[in-house]
Amino acid sequence: MTPSLPDLQATAAARFEDLRRQGTPGCVVGIAIDGERSVRPLGTADLRNGAPMRVDMAMRIGSVSKLVVAGVIDALAGQGALQWPDRLSAHLPEVPDSAAFSLDALGKHRTGYRDALENPAFRRRYNQNPAAAFPIEDVLAASLSQPRLKLRPGTSRYANVNAILLALTAERATGEPYPALAERLVLRPARADLRADPTSAGRSARGYRHGRISGVVEHGAAFFEATKFNPSWAGPAGDLSGNMQALLRLGASLKPLFAAAPKAPAPLQAPAYWRLISLWRNGAGHAGDVPGYSAFLGCSRDGRLLVGVLSNLSNLANGRAPATEIAATLFERWRSGGRP
């Protein structure tokens, strides 16, 4: 028997209570079945005053931003401005080893390029001032100055820089800035108000994380607020913010792209990748976390279930993201046919 919206929201609430005991302040869960939606706030938005979470609260969505990059590239491919089989060197010849990879390889995270935060010097700069806004040129230089990892054929190694390079490819192919492309090709048609600027005071939940006081980007047991931490180190791969209404609208608009994705046998926590979309046994979409917040947006394989989760905790002390934990529970409930 297919679970109903109330069934799934009850499942999400029960899982959230487990996560609250592990230090998760709050979340907003959005579920749509065959287009009918339910959005429920859970827990606390601000631990200073105990203010409850609200359905309209804006939060950072982290790597769910990559779904917007995927939508931009796919739209440009449909217009003939570029194609997924293109070599990266056809658009960004200045990038090291760009002739070795197609845009499709970037979408599958099969390049071996390394992220800016893997660069010790850049990591130190971020840990010293996590609220700083890093120009995309600095992020890219920190990434590409590192030796590329040699991957076995057919294997993936997830990196934000792959999505950043795809966004820059879109700019080079069109002569239009990526934020304008994202707005014109994906966000405006979806009526999804997602923005790269910080969340608005009064409408946004405060963000928290478990980390290390001496190295705030690392996971750890120390609990602290990270609302003002800047996600600029991820660039277009992870810098968007918005509320659940915007997230569900984005997901609904991307359903054709999710449906075209190949199937993967892995569980949600160990996905494969295709065109920047995470693929797992029960569906397709993407998870995201940046210091202070975690997010999830995904669609079931049968196309009927759409799940969005926003949380104002980026990670539990064990490193897991609360938004992904709730989403995994919902997709497993859906797969099991409603059996708890």
Side-chain angles (χ1 to χ4, degrees):
M1 179 180 175
T2 301
S4 66
L5 285 172
D7 290 337
L8 291 176
Q9 285 289 11
T11 297
R15 185 69 182 101
F16 170 71
E17 287 304 317
D18 292 339
L19 297 170
R20 178 144 65 175
R21 288 189 284 271
Q22 299 177 57
T24 304
C27 71
V28 178
V29 179
I31 304 170
I33 300 175
D34 298 331
E36 183 182 355
R37 295 180 182 179
S38 169
V39 178
R40 182 176 180 181
L42 298 164
T44 305
D46 188 338
L47 291 177
R48 300 174 310 168
N49 56 23
M53 191 67 76
R54 302 196 313 266
V55 295
D56 63 342
M57 286 284 189
M59 288 175 260
R60 295 194 175 107
I61 68 171
S63 287
V64 176
S65 305
K66 290 180 176 67
L67 295 178
V68 179
V69 182
V72 167
I73 298 294
D74 215 56
L76 292 177
Q79 297 172 6
L82 48 72
Q83 297 297 329
W84 284 101
D86 289 353
R87 289 284 151 177
L88 179 60
S89 55
H91 303 281
L92 299 174
E94 68 274 22
V95 172
D97 298 325
S98 59
F101 303 108
S102 64
L103 303 188
D104 182 66
L106 270 75
K108 292 177 178 176
H109 293 284
R110 291 182 177 176
T111 63
Y113 291 129
R114 303 174 71 175
D115 276 331
L117 287 174
E118 296 180 73
N119 184 310
F122 186 90
R123 195 178 188 92
R124 279 194 298 272
R125 289 174 62 195
Y126 179 78
N127 275 326
Q128 290 166 1
N129 187 8
F134 294 99
I136 194 64
E137 295 80 10
D138 287 7
V139 174
L140 202 60
S143 294
L144 299 179
S145 62
Q146 301 172 89
R148 186 170 55 82
L149 296 172
K150 302 298 183 183
L151 304 180
R152 297 192 309 274
T155 61
S156 300
R157 205 264 189 173
Y158 186 89
N160 289 308
V161 68
N162 293 316
I164 294 172
L165 290 172
L166 284 170
L168 296 177
T169 294
E171 289 190 341
R172 188 70 60 85
T174 62
E176 191 174 351
Y178 172 77
L181 286 168
E183 182 68 24
R184 178 170 64 84
L185 297 175
V186 178
L187 299 176
R188 191 184 307 145
R191 297 184 299 117
D193 186 16
L194 296 168
R195 303 190 179 278
D197 50 3
T199 53
S200 301
R203 289 196 310 112
S204 55
R206 288 186 171 271
Y208 304 89
R209 79 179 270 99
H210 286 95
R212 301 178 191 172
I213 301 302
S214 60
V216 294
V217 72
E218 285 82 14
H219 292 161
F223 181 85
F224 51 84
E225 185 179 339
T227 306
K228 294 183 178 180
F229 285 23
N230 197 312
S232 62
W233 49 267
D239 64 0
L240 294 179
S241 300
N243 62 23
M244 183 54 66
Q245 182 182 48
L247 203 63
L248 290 179
R249 285 176 171 174
L250 175 65
S253 74
L254 293 176
K255 273 191 173 184
L257 195 54
F258 295 154
K263 295 183 179 181
L268 190 149
Q269 289 89 345
Y273 303 98
W274 175 83
R275 298 186 180 181
L276 294 179
I277 298 171
S278 300
L279 312 174
W280 65 93
R281 170 168 68 227
N282 301 331
H286 216 292
D289 68 275
V290 290
Y293 303 90
S294 60
F296 180 91
L297 180 63
C299 185
S300 62
R301 275 288 160 208
D302 59 16
R304 296 185 59 203
L305 175 69
L306 183 66
V307 170
V309 186
L310 294 170
S311 175
N312 60 340
L313 182 74
S314 55
N315 60 287
L316 303 165
N318 62 12
R320 290 186 176 272
T324 305
E325 294 292 292
I326 292 171
T329 301
L330 291 173
F331 276 95
E332 182 57 29
R333 180 82 191 276
W334 183 260
R335 186 198 65 80
S336 69
R339 295 185 299 275

